[in-house]
Amino acid sequence: MTSETRRVALVTGAAGELGRAICARLLEDGLHLAALDIDLGAAQALVERLPKAPGQRAIALRADLGDAASIHLVVQQVGQSFGRIDVVVNNAAVNHRGSLYDFDPAQWDHMMAVNLRGPALLCQQVAPYWQRQASGRVINIVSRCWVAGGPPAYVACKAGLVGLTRSMARELAEHNVTVNAIAPGLLPSAFTLDGRDAESFERIAQGSIRDTPLQRLTTAEDVAGTTSFLASRDAAFITAEVIHVCGGSQLAPFGKR
Ligand SMILES: NC(=O)c1ccc[n+]([C@@H]2O[C@H](COP(=O)([O-])OP(=O)(O)OC[C@H]3O[C@@H](n4cnc5c(N)ncnc54)[C@H](O)[C@@H]3O)[C@@H](O)[C@H]2O)c1
């Protein structure tokens, strides 16, 4: 594959558990990569470590998905670097835990800004590229909890991102852009381990496995593989879908953990 024929993938939250696997898989698939994260050092370490074919490029850029100016700037940087943007994976998210009885309004707003408004603004900035290229792919990482329920701010963001997926699928179709979502189940990451000791995570994990017909946790590679499929030619006529990558746990009620 020559450098010119390679598509360009932009992945947010690239340095996290799922982001690293998604970046690795899209590079394996032959795409150029723009790895975005609020933690620039971790994104740089990732792109240096990942294997690349001759002529294949991977760059790391800092972006704060909660900040409109930062999104605007980073899309300009990716555009200047590669001249095109084909695949956007909206994977970055923050989580402040809290129930309906005790959530903090400032934390609620921060989650909405990063997890929901961020993907919309990013796609707004990338849309002119899709318009010029007459093609594009958007893959939004949601969560099984959008259907199962759970902490209200997190579920509201993820259900909102499903709504945004469906809305953008309709609006961007005129530029031959497909927009789909992936809903993973639980896996250990900074995101899910934050503020929990190993024992309490293990209890939650066991509960999740009990709720999962296929009887295991999700892996980052499960999600990366589905991302690869949705970015591929085989998925060209699939849009506005949510693919649950959680072993059937979307069928189970969300138990108290
Ligand atoms: N881990 C799970 O069990 C699980 C389950 C379902 C869905 N998800 C979703 O998968 C996605 C990735 O989660 P993960 O488990 O890999 O988490 P993670 O914490 O390992 O990774 C999240 C990444 O996002 C980055 N990030 C945080 N705030 C940012 C911001 N403002 N701007 C840009 N980047 C920012 C972090 O630096 C980190 O690298 C999230 O959307 C999450 O909601 C995770």
Side-chain angles (χ1 to χ4, degrees):
M1 206 181 294
T2 66
S3 189
E4 290 68 43
T5 59
R6 288 184 196 279
R7 293 182 302 151
V8 175
L10 182 165
V11 179
T12 72
E17 188 68 25
L18 291 185
R20 293 193 301 271
I22 291 168
C23 288
R25 182 60 192 264
L26 293 177
L27 276 177
E28 249 178 67
D29 291 346
L31 285 82
H32 290 307
L33 174 71
L36 274 52
D37 206 286
I38 199 163
D39 184 344
L40 178 60
Q44 278 168 334
L46 175 75
V47 301
E48 278 162 26
R49 183 173 57 75
L50 288 175
K52 291 161 276 299
Q56 188 178 28
R57 292 173 56 217
I59 61 169
L61 294 164
R62 184 188 182 277
D64 177 358
L65 268 292
D67 176 18
S70 170
I71 294 171
H72 180 77
L73 176 67
V74 83
V75 171
Q76 276 187 337
Q77 291 170 327
V78 177
Q80 277 160 12
S81 195
F82 294 106
R84 58 183 298 133
I85 304 173
D86 297 281
V87 178
V88 167
V89 184
N90 284 307
N91 167 68
V94 287
N95 191 17
H96 304 290
R97 297 207 185 91
S99 75
L100 184 69
Y101 302 104
D102 61 12
F103 76 81
D104 174 334
Q107 292 186 338
W108 177 288
D109 289 350
H110 182 229
M111 288 175 70
M112 290 294 159
V114 174
N115 302 358
L116 184 54
R117 191 186 64 183
L121 284 172
L122 184 61
C123 289
Q124 182 189 65
Q125 295 297 316
V126 177
Y129 290 88
W130 291 324
Q131 188 170 8
R132 271 201 300 281
Q133 294 160 198
S135 71
R137 299 287 168 93
V138 181
I139 298 146
N140 294 324
I141 306 300
V142 297
S143 163
R144 74 174 272 268
C145 76
W146 86 275
V147 70
Y154 186 65
V155 172
C157 294
K158 294 303 187 181
L161 192 49
V162 170
L164 182 66
T165 300
R166 295 168 66 85
S167 163
M168 292 198 301
R170 196 179 279 286
E171 263 198 289
L172 292 170
E174 62 175 333
H175 305 310
N176 190 29
V177 177
T178 68
V179 187
N180 292 290
I182 297 174
L186 183 72
L187 69 149
S189 71
F191 196 86
T192 47
L193 291 167
D194 184 41
R196 289 183 171 130
D197 58 25
E199 199 182 318
S200 73
F201 182 81
E202 185 53 27
R203 196 165 13 86
I204 293 165
Q206 287 309 322
S208 179
I209 292 169
R210 270 197 305 279
D211 282 352
T212 302
L214 288 174
Q215 292 285 291
R216 66 166 172 84
L217 297 182
T218 302
T219 66
E221 287 68 31
D222 292 328
V223 177
T226 309
T227 305
S228 164
F229 166 67
L230 287 173
S232 77
R233 196 183 305 152
D234 287 339
F237 204 52
I238 300 173
T239 197
E241 278 300 336
V242 183
I243 302 187
H244 291 88
V245 182
C246 57
S249 64
Q250 78 275 24
L251 299 167
F254 188 87
K256 274 221 178 282
R257 306 237 192 275

